[in-house]
Amino acid sequence: MLTVGTPLLAWRRGQIDAVVSVGPLECMPTKIAEAQFHHVTEREGLLTLTLSFNGDRLTRRRSTTLHSEVKERYDRRQAAGLNRTRLVSHLSTAPTN
């Protein structure tokens, strides 16, 4: 599944810091991806946020929480001198090169 596999590979290569997966409300592929991202988070430590939309607006709290966690991890890595230096959101599409 590209929705999960592509960002997982990018995480392992040090290319991303978090994943934002967006899909329609009650969409079965989005629900499956969300369930798999839960396991990826537990096993790999990759931060993920799945957003299911029915046309309503995104609450600031959900996006702010992810942003804060990603920034905190980024700052810790920078302090430790680690190399991962950019945040890329994966929006349920194959990456472009």
Side-chain angles (χ1 to χ4, degrees):
M1 179 187 289
L2 291 175
T3 302
V4 176
T6 301
L8 179 56
L9 181 62
W11 167 255
R12 289 178 177 171
R13 290 180 175 170
Q15 298 171 331
I16 64 170
D17 290 311
V19 174
V20 177
S21 178
V22 180
L25 184 66
E26 300 302 325
C27 173
M28 189 54 68
T30 300
K31 289 181 175 189
I32 292 169
E34 181 177 22
Q36 294 307 308
F37 277 132
H38 174 76
H39 297 295
V40 168
T41 298
E42 287 182 340
R43 293 181 184 144
E44 304 276 339
L46 173 62
L47 293 174
T48 64
L49 174 64
T50 300
L51 302 173
S52 298
F53 287 104
N54 64 354
D56 292 341
R57 297 173 64 171
L58 172 65
T59 64
R60 181 176 296 277
R61 186 180 64 132
R62 288 180 76 187
S63 61
T64 301
T65 300
L66 179 70
H67 176 268
S68 297
E69 290 178 37
V70 171
K71 173 118 176 57
E72 184 178 310
R73 285 186 178 195
Y74 175 82
D75 291 343
R76 279 191 306 232
R77 274 196 312 279
Q78 292 303 305
L82 298 176
N83 252 350
R84 192 177 289 166
T85 59
R86 65 187 182 132
L87 168 67
V88 176
S89 294
H90 178 79
L91 301 175
S92 297
T93 60
T96 56
N97 293 331

